[in-house]
Amino acid sequence: MMKLALISTLAGSAAAFAPAQTGARSTSLNAFSAESLPGALAPMGFFDPLGFAEKADEATMKRYREAEVTHGRVAMLAVIGFFVGEAVEGSSFLFDASISGPAISHPGQVPGGWDALIIAGIGFAELQRAKTGWVDPADVKFDQAGKLNADYYPGDIGFDPLGLKPEDAEELDVMITKELQNGRLAMLAAAGFLAQEAVDGKGILEHFSS
């Protein structure tokens, strides 16, 4: 079960929570400056203590935001994976219900052969994300590797099966900010889960019940 959660987690880097249409964009999406980026909330405001934004041009800022939103999506799915994987251990119909223990130990308990499927799934998802957001490497200079398309807003890979993306620019900024804040919290939570389980070998749910 945990391995399936990991599949969803890693594939989420290319497919989770992204707005569908690319036509309706807010002014902040077009400007893409540190002062106008969604994601800043009181009392911290635009939190950049190390001054990365001050040294970054627009293209670099877009790459920073792409990395942040992608890691946030993966982390949100990872947190769910921790809880679900540990909650169903010993009772899942997968792998004869033989996977147990802390979530960080689940991948090593999955039968061989599944790793290839996982890698293939991740590769396919990342390829689709790259086709949507990145300029073909053959069309960029050697010192511009990883250049994003000019009309691509980080995270907007066209996946919105429930039609949640607002048409109004201000409402869209609010939704983007909510996703970023939840993703930031999830990154801290996932890191905490990994560290805690690595230290004492107990599952997260076990900590709650002890």
Side-chain angles (χ1 to χ4, degrees):
M1 183 66 190
M2 189 58 193
K3 187 61 79 86
L4 289 183
L6 288 173
I7 296 175
S8 298
T9 296
L10 295 170
S13 64
F17 308 115
Q21 302 90 357
T22 57
R25 299 182 185 276
S26 69
T27 54
S28 62
L29 304 192
N30 292 324
F32 220 95
S33 63
E35 294 74 18
S36 59
L37 276 177
L41 290 177
M44 302 304 296
F46 186 79
F47 186 72
D48 182 27
L50 298 181
F52 287 113
E54 296 177 3
K55 308 169 187 176
D57 56 18
E58 181 176 343
T60 302
M61 284 295 296
K62 288 180 72 174
R63 289 197 298 272
Y64 285 164
R65 178 47 58 88
E66 174 71 21
E68 180 182 23
V69 71
T70 299
H71 282 82
R73 290 167 179 174
V74 171
M76 285 188 277
L77 290 172
V79 169
I80 295 173
F82 267 93
F83 289 135
V84 173
E86 294 181 4
V88 303
E89 67 176 30
S91 61
S92 172
F93 64 91
L94 296 172
F95 312 120
D96 296 324
S98 61
I99 298 178
S100 61
I104 60 173
S105 69
H106 290 185
Q109 301 177 51
V110 175
W114 283 86
D115 290 341
L117 294 177
I118 293 173
I119 292 173
I122 295 171
F124 176 78
E126 288 296 281
L127 177 61
Q128 299 309 307
R129 186 167 72 100
K131 287 182 176 180
T132 302
W134 275 260
V135 177
D136 190 319
D139 298 330
V140 298
K141 298 179 180 179
F142 72 93
D143 60 345
Q144 295 180 325
K147 184 178 181 179
L148 296 173
N149 288 317
D151 61 348
Y152 173 71
Y153 180 75
D156 190 353
I157 59 174
F159 184 81
D160 184 23
L162 299 180
L164 299 177
K165 180 181 178 181
E167 294 292 336
D168 180 75
E170 292 185 3
E171 292 180 4
L172 178 59
D173 280 355
V174 171
M175 177 172 283
I176 292 172
T177 298
K178 289 179 179 178
E179 181 186 14
L180 287 166
Q181 295 292 345
N182 281 281
R184 291 162 180 167
L185 178 60
M187 284 188 276
L188 293 174
F193 289 176
L194 287 165
Q196 185 64 55
E197 292 194 353
V199 167
D200 60 17
K202 295 181 180 179
I204 297 303
L205 295 181
E206 186 178 354
H207 283 94
F208 290 151
S209 60
S210 60

